[in-house]
Amino acid sequence: MKAKYMLHLLLLGFVLSSCSKPGNDPLVNLDPGTYDSTWWNRAPIRLIQTNLPEIQAGMDMDEYVQTILEASANTVLLNVGGIVANYPTKLPYHFKNPYAKEDLVGGLLERLHSHGIKVLGRFDFSKVNETIAEDSPGWLYVGTDGKIVNYNGQVHTCINGAYQQEYSFEILKEAITSYPLDGIFFNMIGYTTTDYDGTYHGICQCNNCKKRFLDSTGFKLPINPDMGDPVYRAYRAFQRSTSNELFGRIRDHIKSLNPKIIINTYTDAGVDLITTESSTSLSDRYDWNYFATGNLKPTLGSYKDITPSNLIMYFQAIGYRHIGPPPNLAKAWFLENMLHGAPATYVVIGTMPNHEDRLFFPVLKELMGFHKKNEKLFTNVASACNVALIRGAYTEYQGLIKLLTEEHIMYDVLEPSAIGSPRTPRSLEDYEVVIIGDLSNMDDRQARVIDEYVNNGGKLLTTGITSMNDALGGRRNELGIKSLGVTGGYEILLQEESTYLKVSKEDKQVIGGEEFRDFDLMMMFSRFIKCNAGENAHGYFRLVPHTMFGPPEKCYYTDENVTDVPGLIVNTYGKGKSVFIPWQLGSQYNFKGNYAHRVLFTASLRNLLNFERLIETDASPLIEMTHMVNRNGAYEWIGMINHSGQLGSSFRDPVPIFNTRVRFKPAKPVKQINLMRTGKQITFTQEDGWVEGIVPEIRDFEMVLCTY
């Protein structure tokens, strides 16, 4: 029977792949509309950033522009000022590029604008040339050793010094009033305490920081970064408030000079685009497949008035900027940007013609060309999902994304600061399930919003030490989220090897007999919250702490080792329900990919929270899927990225995956389905609000476009 079914699928896939209709362009009559009045928000941006070494100031500008055009970019980000001025600055403390024989910024701006290409100017005020630093010691960062940081002739400045607080405003004024820039990008903002070697130099001890912190808090500057120290927690709050204050003033200054200029950097304070970076490094053994996804989704889910700019960094590491990462890895990250509806980006050191590692360039041109040809499909789109993931600890976040992606569960990501915010594109109540992954610090308002969500009928899944601390990191006596069903206090058990969770018959009856049929123990190599279930709550999976191990003769435990401490708590709260996993399930799955942890996650959603999938598919777990809907009601599409080419640290060409069934609920009745990567049209069935079809082949990626 199974063989007959597989043969049917193969034959059906062949028939569907033959249903190509040349000349039937599905984009002809589509009107995606516009999201707002801006050119940049939820719009089809194709950005190339060229980080120009100062010695390339004498470049052939026409050749540079031609390569930008050949790559189908519509936005360019290039160096203007800060560490090096690439224009004839008249300011005495703005280091002018000694290799520039003409006005590089002016020449490139004129040429790029003549082709309709937007230009963002890059500025970096985190450092000044050592010749300038000698004259202005009050501008500089001072480490805990009492010394400044001079790295290859560039000296670290302090955010509270006059260079960043005052002189940067003069540089920005000169550049903005001299050139018609479309945007400003700021690099290395805030409190910079490490150099490019990764050496940590400590909390800044300059006189400006000492005075400002004392005036603000009444405390002397701390020396050690210890979250157990209330003075250090106050310093963390001081860092945030002073950074936001400075950036607010910078934004007001820029907008007063030119209100049309957009602002782009690594924070959400006063910006139009939030920058993140997807890059490889020498410190990571394996690179994260979903790096771009994890970077851009928090902005898309948290802000309706900000767009993510996740930069695909084309270098192997900071120390190897002239060598690119594996092209298939860069391609996967690029596709994640594109198929989540975010700007398509690429960053290269220098210019593309002069780069000594050009292996990815043909791929970049092809993908940028695809984006340009189909840019209607990347205009004014939103994700179609019923799950919100609130970002917590990084490894937990990585593991939860891995779980959701492998299980083809569509989801949005929210920053903790977006909980209950009016700036989010959707409210919490729009989601069937909210997942919070090991978010230790929460203020009382955030915890209250979550409790109200559950009380009103929401479904909550949390992991780790969520809500254990207040907003500044101070330890609470009780967990902040009451809907978790935990009564009284708690105890933190540290990670210990040979610790398990016992799976009983009762556990299997409630959570999933079929799923848990073949195992009675689960690995638990994680920090753990030892707590008690409340009156309306029930605990499952009993903790078996640190059992004997060594030679096989001594590897065992007895019934006496099995405690009454639950490894999962289910609670009814008002009209809603919560599942609390008091350990780092996501981090564990990210670490080892253990099958039991995956089963626990999916069973919690399906059997305990009665979660309803919006997409049903037999797609390989190696296929990352997205589901995007046009806000103007013109179309929707499902993106599919093939990650099968990874083997350890190698990223080879993905293996083609054939005959993938997809069943989903569209926003409207579907008239036609086109595969945009292969250019084919497929047949489908439509019944009871569900559409079902088969994607014949997924090589690197596919876009399943549905028109109404």
Side-chain angles (χ1 to χ4, degrees), residues 540-557:
Y540 302 94
F541 305 126
R542 302 302 169 181
L543 178 68
V544 186
H546 191 56
T547 63
M548 288 195 303
F549 68 98
E553 294 85 352
K554 294 296 182 180
C555 288
Y556 61 87
Y557 68 95

Side-chain angles (χ1 to χ4, degrees), residues 483-487 532-540 568-573 578:
S483 55
L484 297 181
V486 174
T487 183
N532 298 312
E535 181 179 352
N536 297 320
H538 298 278
Y540 302 94
L568 179 145
I569 295 175
V570 182
N571 186 47
T572 299
Y573 188 82
S578 71

Side-chain angles (χ1 to χ4, degrees), residues 306-368:
I306 300 178
T307 282
S309 177
N310 180 57
L311 302 174
I312 309 303
M313 311 299 289
Y314 194 64
F315 55 74
Q316 191 68 50
I318 290 291
Y320 290 92
R321 292 202 190 219
H322 305 295
I323 302 296
N328 283 307
L329 176 61
K331 184 178 188 178
W333 290 343
F334 187 99
L335 289 172
E336 288 171 359
N337 275 2
M338 185 172 75
L339 295 182
H340 284 293
T345 66
Y346 169 77
V347 180
V348 63
I349 294 295
T351 65
M352 287 190 284
N354 294 326
H355 206 280
E356 294 182 280
D357 185 345
R358 298 174 294 280
L359 197 60
F360 184 67
F361 293 172
V363 179
L364 174 71
K365 291 180 180 179
E366 180 193 12
L367 296 180
M368 284 280 208

Side-chain angles (χ1 to χ4, degrees), residues 667-680:
K668 298 179 182 179
V670 173
K671 180 180 179 181
Q672 181 174 308
I673 297 182
N674 289 80
L675 304 178
M676 303 308 294
R677 179 59 163 165
T678 57
K680 300 181 185 299

Side-chain angles (χ1 to χ4, degrees), residues 210-229:
K210 288 179 178 178
K211 183 178 188 308
R212 193 171 185 185
F213 185 65
L214 182 64
D215 292 345
S216 175
T217 66
F219 297 126
K220 292 183 178 180
L221 279 173
I223 300 296
N224 299 313
D226 177 12
M227 286 302 295
D229 179 6

